[in-house]
Amino acid sequence: TIPGGGSCEVKVIVTPSADGPTNGELTVVSNAFGNPHKVALSGTGQAAGVEAAPPELDLGTSPAGVTTAPKNVTIKNSGTADLVVARAEITGPNAADFLLTSNACNAKVAPGKDCLIKVSFKPSTGGKRSAQLSVTSDAPVAGTVNNIALTGTGRASSSKLAPTSLAITGDKPGTVTLSSAGTSDLKVGSIKVE
């Protein structure tokens, strides 16, 4: 209730869900003549935007157990409000073979600015490996996840002895051949006869 000759203020805040212009209407219902009273509202929304480059990252080939040099993923704020990166993590089928080496996206990123996330590859075995870098931010709304595909190829070493059984007679030596059967160098630690 507003006493005769009195007034009250109604404060309106724009909270758009997207970047750009937005419109609305304030409606006041009362017992006054000309009821209801309306006020047209307009505003401009500001929202963060996120772009990841590259969208796919191939970390190359590495021997099993050997870590590659890190490669960069750039996260850019393409919107008009600060970008908040809540989390960056590696997920997917071979997530343990990829390492989040550093994350400079743990603070607000101003519009038009970017930050770097570095990823390395340490394959546990040979063959093609894949995962994804999942970046959770508030663009365009809180909880949005952008996924960057990660790939790499592990090289595994393996050996083959031939023959698997050897009969030696007299003073003639027998020959056993040791071969590298994998895609990585075979490092021999020792050979002994017992």
Side-chain angles (χ1 to χ4, degrees), residues 80-165:
T80 57
D82 286 343
L83 171 68
V84 177
V85 176
R87 183 173 58 250
E89 62 186 337
I90 296 176
T91 61
N94 308 124
D97 290 347
F98 296 86
L99 309 168
L100 191 61
T101 310
S102 71
N103 177 8
C105 297
N106 51 11
K108 289 183 180 178
V109 181
K113 300 295 182 182
D114 57 46
C115 59
L116 291 179
I117 297 173
K118 295 184 181 224
V119 179
S120 295
F121 176 53
K122 184 180 180 182
S124 57
T125 188
K128 298 240 181 237
R129 314 301 285 165
S130 64
Q132 59 192 19
L133 173 62
S134 296
V135 179
T136 305
S137 71
D138 64 346
V141 295
T144 300
V145 178
N146 293 81
N147 293 314
I148 297 93
L150 303 175
T151 57
T153 303
R155 289 186 316 199
S157 61
S158 64
S159 63
K160 179 179 176 186
L161 283 173
T164 57
S165 177

Side-chain angles (χ1 to χ4, degrees), residues 167-189:
I168 302 173
T169 55
D171 62 352
K172 294 189 179 193
T175 302
V176 175
T177 303
L178 174 62
S179 303
S180 174
T183 57
S184 183
D185 295 342
L186 175 65
K187 295 182 179 169
V188 179

